[in-house]
Amino acid sequence: MTDQLERRPRNFGPGIVHLGLGNFHRAHMAMYTRAAIDAKAGDWGIIGVASRSPAVVDAMKRQDFLYTIVQISPDEFSYSTPNVHTDALVAGLEGERLLELIADPRIKIISLTVTENGYTFDPVTRHLNLADHRVRQDLEGHELPVTTIGQIALGLELRMLAGNGPVTILSCDNLSHNGVLTQSLVADFTAALPRERGASLAAWIQRNVTFPSTMVDRIVPATTQELIDQVKKATGYADAIPVPAEPFSMWVIEDNFAAGRPQWEAGGAIFSDEVDKFEQLKVRLLNGTHSLLAYLGALSGAATIPESISDPWIANAARKVLRDEYLPSVQVPKGVDVRTYEAELFGRWRNVALGHRTSQVGSDGSVKLRERVPYPNQQLREKGRSRELLALTVAGYLTCVSPLPGFDPGEHARAMQDPLREVLRERAATAMNGTEIARIAMDEIRFLGDDVAADEEFIARVARYVDLLHSSGPHQALSEAMNTTERKTA
Ligand code: CS2
């Protein structure tokens, strides 16, 4: 069934510029915004901005900004059309227009889903990565900005100069304290501008811009040709860019908006002063465990997360890493029952109809894992508790993305993309064993930060699991990890 939303006129103007027009935004924020506008009319239309690829933008334009969200549960597919975008553009092609939009007085919110990888920060210091040539290029200002932080900062400068008033920057990525982090990266950018220029912009931002933190959650796989065909068959609509999504959706937001906001509560969003706790809960229990499912699954030949978790070895390890290695460092928000949350997670991961791929979850592991692993690891170490499954997760990542020369980790691992892949591969080209790979990644490149770099015991365990994964495969490695954990907790 279709909800017929596409027949309604769009009788609202734009109020939001959204950076990152991927599937997640189109199945998450778009849905909440539609519900908000239905509940309370307002100019909260979204102008979607893709970073470089024109594919989605062109299709959106061809389809008058109508696309289908296909909600997929094992026993039902349902179709809806948010119809909430009023325009779309590609930042790489219309950079000037993007800056003008950030400065536009009609725009009250600039939101972002640019992935962990889009924030150009140094994993170790969590400051803006001034060594990145794109960041430097944006600071020099000879060309239009290409980094998200540069675009925001320079767009805000234009807004300040135009006297166009307050605005909210809303990060919706899986990063701890995402609002605070975005604010500090923008501050780093202004601090690196010529002195007076940077100081007046920083002072204006301080007075006029807020950066609420948010926790976002919905499993949204990539679109397949099969889905496109399915939508055509079920709705008669030849949609080139439908988005598959699970039924579950959650959005927790800090209510700190400088220039108003849509009534997202109407779509089920929760406004809370405990966003950080929700974020921890989600980034560790869901995303952290997801990484284990992705790497161990891919190495076992599983194409999808449900396939991975159908292996009882992997399912047991997932339960154990969630309960014993991630949960201890989580402060559970009020009103959340962890056992119910866990049961719900296992149900979501088992959604076979969704086809969420291990290669998708396993991609960008170098950036994702540093959000998921170091803090829980440090907490466990201080309490003298076992960290075997965190070590196995990291070993799984290294084996997938940077295996020992001559070892083939399988097609699902080979399909994983990672910004560190080439560097790791180059540096590990002559590595002879797990110890060398683990040292290069964690001690030399320090992709998990300083604390892990100094954690000899953890690095040694990762090394051991890299060797086991190469020589004997995931079951053997899982068996050792589970036995070692049991021994340590006994
Ligand atoms: C996943 C997330 O790709 C990943 O790393 O863990 O994209 C996950 O599906 C979402 O955060 C769910 O909200």
Side-chain angles (χ1 to χ4, degrees), residues 293-315:
L293 292 171
Y295 299 122
L296 275 297
L299 292 170
S300 312
T304 66
I305 297 291
E307 224 176 298
S308 168
I309 207 167
S310 71
D311 176 338
W313 285 85
I314 299 183

Side-chain angles (χ1 to χ4, degrees), residues 79-204:
Y79 305 86
S80 63
T81 312
N83 190 8
V84 75
H85 294 87
T86 57
D87 204 352
L89 64 134
V90 181
L93 300 176
E94 290 186 79
E96 205 154 319
R97 186 153 166 247
L98 171 60
L99 297 186
E100 281 162 10
L101 281 171
I102 295 177
D104 188 323
R106 294 171 305 163
I107 300 303
K108 310 293 185 201
I109 297 172
I110 320 288
S111 51
L112 299 79
T113 48
V114 293
T115 80
E116 295 90 330
N117 198 20
Y119 287 73
T120 46
F121 67 104
D122 179 321
V124 179
T125 62
R126 288 183 83 78
H127 278 291
L128 192 64
N129 187 0
L130 297 171
D132 184 324
H133 72 276
R134 293 166 308 156
V135 174
R136 284 207 310 273
Q137 178 190 315
D138 287 359
L139 280 163
E140 281 158 15
H142 302 310
E143 282 164 51
L144 286 161
V146 292
T147 67
T148 299
I149 298 298
Q151 287 159 346
I152 291 176
L154 297 172
L156 290 177
E157 184 177 42
L158 214 60
R159 192 172 182 104
M160 168 186 81
L161 296 173
N164 282 344
V167 67
T168 300
I169 309 291
L170 189 66
S171 163
C172 300
D173 283 296
N174 289 323
L175 293 152
S176 355
H177 313 290
N178 52 15
V180 179
L181 178 70
T182 310
Q183 179 170 24
S184 78
L185 296 175
V186 171
D188 288 343
F189 191 93
T190 59
L193 286 171
R195 202 138 74 112
E196 272 179 27
R197 182 176 161 210
S200 65
L201 177 57
W204 183 86

Side-chain angles (χ1 to χ4, degrees), residues 411-473:
E411 58 174 318
H412 309 302
R414 285 199 308 273
M416 290 174 189
Q417 320 247 327
D418 195 291
L420 208 59
R421 193 178 191 122
E422 288 319 307
V423 177
L424 270 172
R425 287 246 166 135
E426 231 167 73
R427 302 276 285 271
T430 54
M432 304 288 287
N433 53 36
T435 305
E436 286 180 39
I437 300 248
R439 288 236 156 273
I440 291 168
M442 282 177 286
D443 191 18
E444 289 175 28
I445 302 178
R446 298 189 167 223
F447 88 107
L448 292 177
D450 283 352
D451 186 72
V452 170
D455 190 342
E456 293 289 334
E457 191 190 331
F458 186 75
I459 296 179
R461 294 312 294 161
V462 174
R464 164 77 184 147
Y465 290 125
V466 170
D467 284 334
L468 262 183
L469 287 169
H470 280 79
S471 63
S472 322

Side-chain angles (χ1 to χ4, degrees), residues 255-273:
D255 203 354
N256 178 22
F257 287 75
R261 62 165 175 85
Q263 213 171 71
W264 283 316
E265 301 85 333
I270 300 168
F271 285 87
S272 164
D273 52 12

Side-chain angles (χ1 to χ4, degrees), residues 338-355:
V338 173
R339 283 296 139 115
T340 312
Y341 186 80
E342 178 191 306
E344 215 166 17
L345 283 179
F346 275 81
R348 294 169 64 193
W349 291 326
R350 291 201 163 106
N351 184 346
V352 280
L354 198 58

Side-chain angles (χ1 to χ4, degrees), residues 215-238:
M215 186 283 280
V216 292
D217 192 5
R218 189 170 201 187
I219 294 176
V220 181
T223 304
T224 57
Q225 185 58 44
E226 214 184 327
L227 187 83
I228 294 176
D229 298 342
Q230 167 72 26
V231 168
K232 176 88 200 309
K233 206 166 108 207
T235 69
Y237 181 43

